[in-house]
Amino acid sequence: MNKLDLKFEELLISILCDLLSNDNHVAVGAASPIPGAAALLAKEEQKIKGKKLRVTILHSLRFNNFTDGARELFDCAAQGRIDTFFLGGVQIDEQANINLVGTGDYPNLNKRFSGSFGSALMYYVVPKVILFREEHSKRTLVKKVDFISAPGVSDKNLYRPGGPKFLLTNKALFSFNKRKKVFCLEKTAPGINQNDIEKITGFKYDLNNEIKNFTYPSRERLDILRKVIAPMVSEFYPNFAKRIWFR
Amino acid sequence: MNKLDLKFEELLISILCDLLSNDNHVAVGAASPIPGAAALLAKEEQKIKGKKLRVTILHSLRFNNFTDGARELFDCAAQGRIDTFFLGGVQIDEQANINLVGTGDYPNLNKRFSGSFGSALMYYVVPKVILFREEHSKRTLVKKVDFISAPGVSDKNLYRPGGPKFLLTNKALFSFNKRKKVFCLEKTAPGINQNDIEKITGFKYDLNNEIKNFTYPSRERLDILRKVIAPMVSEFYPNFAKRIWFR
Amino acid sequence: MLPFEKITLNDIVSEVHDGTLLGIPADYSGVPMTFTKELIKKKVKNLKLYCLPLTTIQGDMLIGSGCVTEIEAAAVSLGEFGQASRFQDAVINQRIKVKDSTCPALHAQLQATEKSVPFMPLRGIIGSDLLEYRDDWKVIKNPMECSGKEGEEIILLPAVQLDVLVFHATKSDMNGNIQIGRRRELATLAHASKKVFVTVEEIVDEDFYENEVNAAATLPALYIDGIAVSKNGAWPCGLTGKYNPDLEELKNYSLAAKNQNTFDSYMRVFLNSDNLKAAQ
Amino acid sequence: MLPFEKITLNDIVSEVHDGTLLGIPADYSGVPMTFTKELIKKKVKNLKLYCLPLTTIQGDMLIGSGCVTEIEAAAVSLGEFGQASRFQDAVINQRIKVKDSTCPALHAQLQATEKSVPFMPLRGIIGSDLLEYRDDWKVIKNPMECSGKEGEEIILLPAVQLDVLVFHATKSDMNGNIQIGRRRELATLAHASKKVFVTVEEIVDEDFYENEVNAAATLPALYIDGIAVSKNGAWPCGLTGKYNPDLEELKNYSLAAKNQNTFDSYMRVFLNSDNLKAAQ
């Protein structure tokens, strides 16, 4: 990809890592190798600076210190003890509503997906939720989702300290403005410009005054990622680690 | 006391033991050596008959198998998994209300006692609650308690599968009739008659057609109590066991 | 006399009837696959599955075998092997009813039964479409003056009691206590079930209560109605600390499950496979 | 750099201020007596104690020393050594306010905070005089159609969040995780506290997460704000698996506490005693 022989997944890991630099506790749910690697990378970089970042990776025995059973993630988040969590979406819409259930007219769906997981609580209580969906298309980023697994914003009469802060795809990074209920294009992937994004996005969004390209990771960061983080990721996402780093 | 050199505490243990013979799970709270010994004795006798009685003694490490923390007793009881529990009372009244808080005009008490412990749930959910209060006097068995830690009976609009079934003192055993909301004198201690009980009881009660004396334990039961149960009791009530059996 | 009920897989299967509300542990909590195999052989119908909070191959197989009419879950998928095709197919063709939920709600509904209260409150959910399709969930205004946000809306979830729970664990002690380690959701499941059966890799000649650390990792025999030994009982799923998931077999299943014919062929072999050999 | 905050008893004491709502563990959960000693020396005032669900010598000493204005508990006593005289005296003379409660309510109020919901329902209580004096408890009719008893009355208890929790434990590992064994009420207490400090007998060069059984007995470092080593830190109370209560000392205390003068004399000696020596 560039002279560092950078993998695209490594670039996404690096972009996510930049979003975690001021956190105390990042949690990563199931089936999230790229967010998981990003969180561990951020932790390692903080350690070098003498600061501490706690990372909980549910899918791992080693990076999951919970001892109160499967409900502890949700209790812990509701207590305000988790700063950042990642969510995906079969569809994500203009108001940051996410759909993990299916497409069509629920319950008469055309296509059924897994289900809402913990999103209907986590999205409400974790202050910085990062939406991560690799596919960037009018199919995934839509005007209005077919089913709201969890809404992007809520009425004032709800307890809602949490919500979406960023959306990362393989083409762009958006921020989300909670007050205006709108995404804002912040960065684009290498070789992609603002017009390209408009053509493949199914919803309207604001534009940052200064839209940048995805920042490449430094040589130093890439070294840490490949030498320190990749073996860790092997523990809980062996297939992913093998595909990216060890084949 | 008789030719078996029976201790009075052993007699009380035996009387309580008789009340437990059809149970599956008996739980015993804090500071209850006589109920604790009675439960273990019943368990041992059931074992000899090839039947199983589970005994949970909170104050013991060995006879407390709960692993969900101090709340498990209450959850377990509320789930209907405990047949019998023991409660005491600074005062117990005609309607089986119990007072564990103090005497006088709450909150301006003349005398303050420990507090209600778990009675305000356990009394409602355990089907057979046995009230055990050694002192039998107009001071302890009163017309109306000064403070209701837990009521003997409840309105129909409450969930209340549990409640009082028996009251044992050092002078008498009463049963409790839930429908009529009244105690009934069933047995008296050796040397005590019906008139004696009337003089020392502060509330009205029914009389069984055939009031019996406390039944003495058989030689066999006493052997089990002294040889098998007494050493067990030493584990969790060393002072009591020492006083009764080992000095 | 054993101090607990040692039974067989078939004894457990005979406790599950048409219409039973069956507790389903997540893939990390000990999936009772040998039990599931026998259950499918029995051709039980109209099961209702309650997943805490999700199911993978166990739920998909039961659905594909026509045993299930209703499922309450936060997710049904094959994890890293993608979507659960038999589940998807049954949903699209409306052969099963899905009570779509979210993980913390599934936990809370069992905690209500654990505490024997009619409901549990939960934050979140309001504003999601989950709520639209759940007649059993209720929204109230927070009635408290001194706690919570004034006037906030909050969901009350009903207490759910399971008819039967079956899970697989590493071992039981000689008194019928089960080692569950950190998988404490199994305790909540057990507390909220009318009957609880466990398959274990082995029954060991120990007393888990002999030291506090072992005791802390234990589900008390008090909640268990019967234990059957089943070597490799979670295969092809994994069992924490004992064996990893059989990734090849899970992949084979995910491919076979893509349509009903190949699923049926797979199941004919699977149901007659010798579990001991299969897990080597 | 240690991966957790290793601090001193005085650092912990400095986190407790006039008016702090302080979590108090039961006599079986690890009573932080060396901390209590230092707290009394600091002459802190107006503490509010939240006992889960009861207190013995710790609460009685704090009350007798004039540190407490309010206590919420299901019981205050000296266990087999009888009534807690300093507590009784303070109640009768109306020097403290007692929020009389019952064990399961004290658990449930913390569980509400653990789940971040404004309230928890509980059965029982209605018809007892406890309710008459609790403005913070609310009775509602069960609003559910499909669970509980139709029209039944039920209590809602407020979520209570503690300012500071201090307890004593056997050991912490090198990452600041605490071994709590079966004393899981300490987890609930920690989840429901803004700040959590622990005194331990020792910090060991281990990682409790290296095996599942040890892990199951652990309270994660995530909830802990600081750990101080304090040898015999529960004395004269006991510490499960480590040492028994000092029955003679507890008896001496119970006798001394019977009136304020003898209590004051006892405390002069106690506060200046060397804990290491005292515990033999």
Side-chain angles (χ1 to χ4, degrees):
Chain A
M1 185 156 188
N2 67 354
K3 55 191 164 193
L4 299 169
D5 193 24
L6 185 72
K7 298 264 170 44
F8 190 73
E9 287 84 355
E10 292 175 323
L11 179 58
L12 293 177
I13 291 168
S14 179
I15 302 288
L16 287 178
C17 180
D18 284 337
L19 305 177
L20 308 177
S21 52
N22 292 315
D23 290 341
N24 290 309
H25 187 184
V26 175
V28 182
S32 311
I34 290 173
L40 290 175
L41 178 60
K43 179 190 168 94
E44 193 64 25
E45 290 187 347
Q46 292 300 312
K47 204 169 101 183
I48 290 164
K49 291 185 205 154
K51 292 206 290 185
K52 194 176 165 189
L53 169 62
R54 192 179 298 279
V55 172
T56 298
I57 296 180
L58 280 195
H59 209 73
S60 152
L61 274 181
R62 183 163 160 212
F63 297 104
N64 177 359
N65 285 350
F66 289 146
T67 58
D68 206 24
R71 71 163 177 258
E72 189 171 0
L73 170 69
F74 309 103
D75 290 350
C76 187
Q79 288 157 30
R81 298 183 198 268
I82 294 174
D83 302 309
T84 294
F85 190 69
F86 298 89
L87 284 172
V90 171
Q91 298 176 321
I92 298 169
D93 75 15
E94 194 160 292
Q95 299 216 339
N97 298 311
I98 62 173
N99 172 9
L100 294 156
V101 163
T103 54
D105 185 18
Y106 188 93
N108 305 316
L109 297 169
N110 308 323
K111 189 139 197 213
R112 169 77 207 198
F113 293 92
S114 310
S116 304
F117 288 96
S119 65
L121 180 68
M122 298 300 275
Y123 210 26
Y124 294 73
V125 296
V126 176
K128 191 204 296 175
V129 173
I130 300 175
L131 299 173
F132 177 59
R133 172 70 172 151
E134 282 191 73
E135 181 183 334
H136 190 140
S137 71
K138 292 198 169 181
R139 199 174 74 109
T140 56
L141 305 186
V142 299
K143 175 82 185 154
K144 179 86 182 74
V145 293
D146 291 355
F147 183 95
I148 301 176
S149 284
V153 291
S154 295
D155 288 348
K156 285 246 182 301
N157 63 344
L158 275 197
Y159 177 85
R160 182 152 195 187
K165 284 282 182 296
F166 297 102
L167 162 61
L168 180 66
T169 70
N170 60 11
K171 299 285 191 299
L173 174 72
F174 298 87
S175 62
F176 186 76
N177 186 318
K178 186 178 173 179
R179 196 181 45 78
K180 291 175 71 183
K181 303 180 188 179
V182 68
F183 283 106
C184 176
L185 181 63
E186 299 283 347
K187 292 185 179 181
T188 58
I192 307 282
N193 67 31
Q194 197 178 308
N195 289 337
D196 299 328
I197 297 296
E198 198 182 332
K199 279 180 209 141
I200 56 172
T201 306
F203 58 67
K204 294 218 175 81
Y205 49 85
D206 288 348
L207 300 174
N208 192 316
N209 290 333
E210 208 183 337
I211 295 168
K212 294 178 189 154
N213 257 216
F214 283 3
T215 321
Y216 285 102
S218 66
R219 177 80 253 177
E220 199 186 357
R221 171 175 281 186
L222 208 55
D223 275 353
I224 297 173
L225 178 58
R226 290 172 179 176
K227 288 180 190 153
V228 184
I229 307 304
M232 294 179 181
V233 174
S234 290
E235 185 243 323
F236 49 96
Y237 290 117
N239 289 341
F240 175 83
K242 209 161 131 192
R243 183 163 61 83
I244 306 300
W245 291 299
F246 299 112
R247 72 173 164 191
Chain B
M1 186 160 187
N2 66 355
K3 55 192 164 191
L4 299 169
D5 194 23
L6 184 71
K7 297 264 172 46
F8 189 75
E9 287 84 354
E10 292 175 323
L11 181 57
L12 294 177
I13 289 168
S14 179
I15 303 288
L16 287 179
C17 180
D18 285 337
L19 304 178
L20 307 178
S21 52
N22 293 315
D23 290 342
N24 290 309
H25 188 184
V26 176
V28 181
S32 311
I34 289 173
L40 291 175
L41 179 58
K43 178 190 169 96
E44 194 65 24
E45 290 188 348
Q46 293 299 313
K47 203 169 102 185
I48 291 165
K49 292 185 204 155
K51 293 205 290 185
K52 195 176 166 190
L53 169 63
R54 192 179 298 280
V55 172
T56 298
I57 296 180
L58 281 193
H59 209 75
S60 152
L61 273 181
R62 183 163 159 213
F63 298 103
N64 177 358
N65 284 351
F66 288 148
T67 57
D68 206 25
R71 72 164 176 257
E72 188 172 1
L73 170 70
F74 308 104
D75 290 351
C76 187
Q79 288 157 30
R81 298 182 198 266
I82 294 174
D83 302 308
T84 295
F85 191 68
F86 299 88
L87 285 172
V90 171
Q91 298 176 319
I92 297 169
D93 74 16
E94 195 160 291
Q95 300 216 338
N97 298 310
I98 62 174
N99 172 10
L100 293 155
V101 162
T103 56
D105 185 19
Y106 188 93
N108 305 316
L109 297 168
N110 309 322
K111 189 138 198 210
R112 168 78 208 196
F113 292 94
S114 308
S116 303
F117 288 96
S119 65
L121 179 69
M122 297 300 276
Y123 211 27
Y124 294 73
V125 295
V126 176
K128 191 203 296 173
V129 173
I130 300 175
L131 300 173
F132 177 60
R133 172 69 172 150
E134 282 191 73
E135 181 183 334
H136 190 139
S137 71
K138 293 200 168 180
R139 201 174 72 111
T140 55
L141 305 187
V142 300
K143 176 81 186 154
K144 180 88 184 71
V145 295
D146 291 355
F147 183 95
I148 301 175
S149 284
V153 291
S154 294
D155 288 347
K156 285 249 183 298
N157 63 344
L158 275 196
Y159 176 86
R160 182 150 195 188
K165 284 284 181 295
F166 297 102
L167 162 62
L168 180 67
T169 70
N170 60 11
K171 298 285 192 298
L173 175 71
F174 298 88
S175 63
F176 186 75
N177 185 314
K178 187 177 174 178
R179 195 181 44 79
K180 291 174 69 183
K181 303 182 187 176
V182 68
F183 282 106
C184 176
L185 182 61
E186 300 283 348
K187 293 185 179 180
T188 58
I192 307 281
N193 65 33
Q194 197 178 307
N195 289 336
D196 298 330
I197 298 296
E198 197 182 333
K199 280 180 210 143
I200 56 172
T201 307
F203 57 67
K204 294 219 174 78
Y205 49 87
D206 288 347
L207 299 175
N208 191 315
N209 291 333
E210 211 184 335
I211 294 167
K212 293 179 189 154
N213 256 218
F214 282 4
T215 320
Y216 286 102
S218 66
R219 176 81 254 177
E220 200 187 356
R221 171 176 282 184
L222 208 54
D223 274 354
I224 297 172
L225 178 58
R226 289 172 179 175
K227 288 180 192 154
V228 184
I229 308 304
M232 294 178 179
V233 175
S234 290
E235 186 241 321
F236 49 94
Y237 290 118
N239 288 340
F240 175 82
K242 209 162 132 191
R243 184 162 62 80
I244 307 299
W245 292 300
F246 300 111
R247 72 170 163 196
Chain C
M1 184 184 68
L2 267 174
F4 64 93
E5 299 295 319
K6 190 177 163 186
I7 57 178
T8 67
L9 269 183
N10 278 325
D11 294 333
I12 300 181
V13 167
S14 71
E15 298 277 350
V16 182
H17 309 287
D18 281 15
T20 290
L21 179 61
L22 182 67
I24 302 286
D27 55 342
Y28 43 73
S29 313
V31 184
M33 287 304 291
T34 46
F35 156 77
T36 303
K37 204 189 262 187
E38 297 307 315
L39 191 61
I40 292 171
K41 281 189 196 165
K42 190 192 167 184
K43 299 191 195 300
V44 68
K45 298 279 171 214
N46 304 318
L47 288 183
K48 297 178 180 184
L49 307 186
Y50 188 98
C51 307
L52 188 69
L54 53 85
T55 186
T56 57
I57 187 174
Q58 185 191 12
D60 200 54
M61 267 191 183
L62 285 167
I63 292 168
S65 304
C67 304
V68 179
T69 47
E70 189 178 295
I71 181 167
E72 182 164 359
V76 184
S77 86
L78 299 181
E80 52 181 321
F81 300 103
Q83 297 296 323
S85 303
R86 290 303 89 215
F87 163 72
Q88 292 182 309
D89 193 56
V91 175
I92 298 299
N93 293 297
Q94 302 183 28
R95 284 196 307 274
I96 61 168
K97 182 185 170 194
V98 185
K99 292 173 87 169
D100 262 295
S101 189
T102 183
C103 309
L106 290 154
H107 288 284
Q109 291 180 167
L110 298 183
Q111 286 185 284
T113 301
E114 182 176 67
K115 296 199 97 60
S116 182
V117 290
F119 56 83
M120 281 288 251
L122 193 66
R123 274 168 167 161
I125 298 179
I126 296 172
S128 91
D129 285 337
L130 295 171
L131 178 57
E132 304 302 309
Y133 298 91
R134 293 296 300 247
D135 297 337
D136 53 343
W137 293 355
K138 195 125 195 164
V139 177
I140 64 164
K141 282 216 189 274
N142 174 24
M144 308 304 281
E145 280 121 42
C146 60
S147 60
K149 212 176 129 169
E150 205 189 314
E152 74 172 299
E153 290 194 315
I154 193 138
I155 289 212
L156 302 186
L157 307 163
V160 172
Q161 187 175 36
L162 307 177
D163 293 323
V164 178
L165 166 69
V166 185
F167 68 88
H168 186 68
T170 306
K171 55 186 175 180
S172 120
D173 73 4
M174 60 189 181
N175 298 314
N177 301 296
I178 310 288
Q179 187 172 96
I180 59 169
R182 281 192 275 169
R183 303 273 41 115
R184 297 201 58 78
E185 63 276 4
L186 291 170
T188 311
L189 275 164
H191 297 166
S193 295
K194 287 181 204 156
K195 293 198 171 179
V196 180
F197 302 97
V198 186
T199 59
V200 295
E201 293 289 316
E202 57 176 341
I203 297 172
V204 296
D205 188 22
E206 289 176 35
D207 175 357
F208 292 160
Y209 286 92
E210 274 187 0
N211 77 68
E212 274 298 297
V213 168
N214 269 328
T218 300
L219 176 66
L222 155 66
Y223 301 98
I224 313 295
D225 295 284
I227 300 173
V229 174
S230 180
K231 198 78 187 159
N232 297 312
W235 178 85
C237 297
L239 185 62
T240 304
K242 200 80 184 170
Y243 44 86
N244 288 324
D246 182 339
L247 299 179
E248 202 179 312
E249 186 66 26
L250 290 173
K251 188 174 178 188
N252 290 343
Y253 174 79
S254 73
L255 296 174
K258 288 205 187 295
N259 76 63
Q260 190 68 36
N261 285 340
T262 50
F263 171 81
D264 290 340
S265 309
Y266 177 93
M267 291 304 289
R268 270 192 296 277
V269 177
F270 180 78
L271 291 182
N272 295 305
S273 67
D274 178 341
N275 194 57
L276 281 175
K277 260 192 217 146
Q280 78 240 240
Chain D
M1 184 186 65
L2 267 175
F4 63 94
E5 297 296 320
K6 190 177 161 186
I7 58 178
T8 67
L9 269 183
N10 279 325
D11 293 333
I12 301 180
V13 167
S14 71
E15 297 278 349
V16 182
H17 309 287
D18 281 14
T20 290
L21 179 61
L22 182 66
I24 302 287
D27 55 342
Y28 43 72
S29 315
V31 185
M33 287 303 292
T34 46
F35 156 76
T36 303
K37 205 189 262 188
E38 296 307 315
L39 191 61
I40 292 172
K41 282 190 197 164
K42 190 192 168 184
K43 298 188 196 302
V44 67
K45 297 280 171 212
N46 303 320
L47 288 182
K48 297 178 181 186
L49 307 186
Y50 188 98
C51 307
L52 188 70
L54 52 84
T55 184
T56 57
I57 187 173
Q58 185 191 12
D60 200 54
M61 266 190 183
L62 285 166
I63 292 168
S65 303
C67 304
V68 179
T69 48
E70 189 179 294
I71 180 167
E72 182 164 0
V76 184
S77 85
L78 299 181
E80 53 180 321
F81 299 103
Q83 298 296 323
S85 304
R86 289 305 87 217
F87 163 71
Q88 292 183 307
D89 192 57
V91 175
I92 299 298
N93 293 296
Q94 302 183 25
R95 284 195 307 273
I96 61 169
K97 182 187 170 190
V98 184
K99 293 172 87 170
D100 262 295
S101 188
T102 184
C103 310
L106 290 154
H107 288 283
Q109 291 179 165
L110 298 183
Q111 285 184 283
T113 302
E114 183 175 66
K115 295 198 98 59
S116 185
V117 290
F119 55 84
M120 281 289 250
L122 193 66
R123 274 169 167 161
I125 298 180
I126 294 172
S128 92
D129 286 337
L130 295 170
L131 177 57
E132 304 302 309
Y133 299 91
R134 294 295 302 247
D135 298 337
D136 51 347
W137 293 355
K138 196 126 193 165
V139 177
I140 63 164
K141 282 216 189 275
N142 175 23
M144 308 304 280
E145 281 120 42
C146 60
S147 63
K149 213 177 128 169
E150 203 190 315
E152 75 173 298
E153 291 195 312
I154 193 138
I155 290 211
L156 303 185
L157 307 163
V160 172
Q161 187 174 38
L162 308 176
D163 293 324
V164 177
L165 166 69
V166 185
F167 68 89
H168 185 69
T170 305
K171 54 186 178 181
S172 119
D173 74 4
M174 61 189 181
N175 297 314
N177 301 296
I178 310 289
Q179 187 173 93
I180 60 169
R182 281 192 275 169
R183 303 274 40 117
R184 297 200 58 77
E185 63 275 5
L186 291 169
T188 311
L189 275 164
H191 297 165
S193 295
K194 287 181 207 157
K195 292 200 171 177
V196 179
F197 302 96
V198 186
T199 60
V200 295
E201 293 289 315
E202 55 176 342
I203 297 172
V204 296
D205 188 22
E206 290 174 36
D207 175 357
F208 292 159
Y209 286 92
E210 275 188 358
N211 77 67
E212 274 297 297
V213 169
N214 269 328
T218 300
L219 177 66
L222 154 66
Y223 300 98
I224 314 294
D225 296 284
I227 299 173
V229 175
S230 178
K231 198 79 186 157
N232 297 312
W235 179 86
C237 296
L239 186 61
T240 304
K242 201 77 184 174
Y243 44 85
N244 289 323
D246 182 339
L247 299 179
E248 202 180 312
E249 186 66 25
L250 290 173
K251 188 175 177 186
N252 290 344
Y253 174 79
S254 72
L255 297 174
K258 287 203 186 295
N259 75 62
Q260 190 69 38
N261 284 339
T262 49
F263 170 83
D264 289 341
S265 307
Y266 177 93
M267 291 304 290
R268 270 191 297 275
V269 177
F270 180 80
L271 292 181
N272 295 306
S273 66
D274 178 343
N275 195 57
L276 280 176
K277 261 191 217 146
Q280 86 241 248

